Amino acid sequence: MSEKRALITGITGQDGSYLAELLLEKGYKVFGMVRRSSVETLERVEHIRDKIELIQGDLMDQSSLDTAIQDSDPDEVYNLAAQSFVPTSWNQPTMTGEVTGLGATRLLESIRKIKPGARYYQASSSEMFGKVQEVPQKESTPLYPRSPYGVAKVYAHYLTINARESYNLYACSGILFNHESPRRCFEFVTRKITHTAAKIKLGLADELRLGNLDAKRDWGFAGDYVKAMWLMLQQKEAREYVIATGETHSVRAFVEAAFGYVGLDYEKYVKIDPKFFRPAEVDLLVGDPGKAREELGWKTEVDFKSLVEMMVESDLKLLSGK
């Protein structure tokens, strides 16, 4: 039996790098789609660079997606690429819609035309729930996005379902709640917190400026969540799954855990800055992963406290040059 082939868009991101590692461990031939850029951003996959094959492509360019599908000839396609930073989506709503929403449409079109037998995973988001209609949120919870990013994700989510029902493609979505790691980008609040806490501990900074400390999220470890992506594409039928821990913690609790790990009182260093508040806030997100646990056999292995400490420890080493 020949090895399975997988194409990952967004392979250079947090989730893409963890997923690539997982698929390599399982014996896959891994292809990663990357945009042509004047600046190379391959640090998250540098350690596996010789084990993966990179293909140039762009979710905003149909012909490049056609070529990526032809060249990789994938059994599985994981669409993890997006304009995924929520604050940017208000400043660049059209671009966010083009990449995050229509990008998924173009990729599904390429699969439909060239490799309809490939199995497709769409990275949906808990931000689709936005102004939540029930607690906890599950697969059947009505969607009420509160940002251009959330709206674009809803579009891609329903396009995935539509492709499955219209063209009989194996196309599914994972509605992933917040998942973090030491590979998270610096502009995201969790990494901003852990990196700044480490800087303050090492005498490299003296304050941390944040917005709404009372917003609550369901935070898990990205390395756990990519396992769920893979499991979804191994099922007999394509379905949607909420992937979450089922626990909620406030931004304040995250800050307290991060600063507590380095022996600091966060209240002495954290300043509230109105510019970091969202135009429309998402106050509470907490997922019900019951369906994923039952049907996929998936579970989390890293708890909230361990996740925060893992990220702070990594930032301490990064800043210390160790």
Side-chain angles (χ1 to χ4, degrees):
M1 181 175 162
S2 60
E3 64 182 350
K4 276 191 175 181
R5 299 163 70 90
L7 173 65
I8 304 171
T9 73
I11 194 170
T12 60
Q14 169 187 258
D15 292 8
S17 63
Y18 280 113
L19 179 61
E21 289 174 349
L22 177 70
L23 296 180
L24 287 171
E25 287 172 11
K26 293 184 178 296
Y28 280 65
K29 170 68 174 174
V30 177
F31 297 84
M33 195 181 83
V34 294
R35 281 181 299 163
R36 172 74 179 87
S37 173
S38 58
V39 181
E40 290 284 350
T41 55
L42 303 177
E43 63 268 16
R44 292 188 188 88
V45 293
E46 201 59 56
H47 63 295
I48 53 172
R49 180 67 186 84
D50 61 339
K51 299 176 183 175
I52 60 177
E53 188 169 326
L54 299 181
I55 298 174
Q56 285 192 6
D58 194 317
L59 287 178
M60 295 176 70
D61 181 70
Q62 187 73 59
S63 63
S64 72
L65 296 179
D66 290 349
T67 301
I69 295 296
Q70 285 172 337
D71 290 353
S72 61
D73 188 27
D75 298 294
E76 298 172 2
V77 178
Y78 297 85
N79 183 30
L80 309 186
Q83 190 303 98
S84 60
F85 190 45
V86 175
T88 297
S89 75
W90 275 288
N91 297 329
Q92 301 183 52
T94 305
M95 185 271 281
T96 300
E98 280 283 352
V99 176
T100 306
L102 289 175
T105 310
R106 296 185 189 100
L107 185 55
L108 281 163
E109 272 296 284
S110 293
I111 293 169
R112 182 181 71 83
K113 292 184 298 183
I114 299 163
K115 191 69 188 292
R119 296 190 166 202
Y120 175 81
Y121 171 83
Q122 169 61 27
S124 289
S125 168
S126 60
E127 288 285 334
M128 301 190 307
F129 294 121
K131 189 174 182 180
V132 299
Q133 303 300 291
E134 66 177 338
V135 179
Q137 294 88 56
K138 47 186 182 286
E139 292 80 8
S140 59
T141 301
L143 307 179
Y144 196 141
R146 297 267 280 174
S147 68
Y149 169 74
V151 172
K153 280 292 187 183
V154 169
Y155 180 90
H157 180 74
Y158 280 120
L159 241 298
T160 302
I161 295 171
N162 187 254
R164 182 172 75 224
E165 296 178 349
S166 301
Y167 303 117
N168 201 32
L169 297 181
Y170 189 108
C172 67
S173 292
I175 307 172
L176 271 58
F177 279 64
N178 295 65
H179 47 290
E180 316 297 325
S181 77
R183 300 180 191 175
R184 180 54 105 180
C185 293
F186 290 105
E187 66 262 31
F188 284 80
V189 69
T190 49
R191 186 69 191 285
K192 180 180 177 181
I193 291 167
T194 62
H195 194 249
T196 307
K199 287 174 76 173
I200 292 172
K201 177 64 177 179
L202 297 171
L204 302 173
D206 54 17
E207 70 173 19
L208 168 61
R209 303 186 81 82
L210 294 171
N212 183 11
L213 295 185
D214 297 319
K216 293 180 178 179
R217 295 289 185 272
D218 184 328
W219 276 300
F221 172 51
D224 289 341
Y225 284 42
V226 298
K227 294 173 186 173
M229 299 177 187
W230 177 77
L231 284 167
M232 284 180 219
L233 295 196
Q234 313 313 309
Q235 305 307 303
K236 186 177 180 181
E237 293 181 18
R239 292 193 175 111
E240 280 61 60
Y241 292 93
V242 162
I243 304 301
T245 68
E247 298 178 4
T248 188
H249 299 273
S250 65
V251 175
R252 189 185 308 277
F254 199 107
V255 172
E256 192 169 8
F259 277 75
Y261 181 70
V262 292
L264 298 175
D265 178 359
Y266 79 92
E267 292 183 331
K268 295 179 179 178
Y269 304 98
V270 173
K271 305 286 190 296
I272 303 302
D273 190 332
K275 79 176 184 180
F276 293 118
F277 280 78
R278 294 182 177 188
E281 184 57 84
V282 174
D283 296 313
L284 171 64
L285 291 175
V286 55
D288 177 0
K291 182 180 175 185
R293 285 175 181 158
E294 184 178 333
E295 296 186 9
L296 303 179
W298 176 82
K299 64 180 185 298
T300 55
E301 295 177 18
V302 178
D303 62 24
F304 175 74
K305 183 171 180 286
S306 299
L307 171 65
V308 178
E309 293 179 354
M310 173 202 304
M311 292 176 68
V312 177
E313 185 62 33
S314 175
D315 279 324
L316 284 169
K317 290 178 180 176
L318 178 70
L319 291 163
S320 301
K322 294 180 179 178

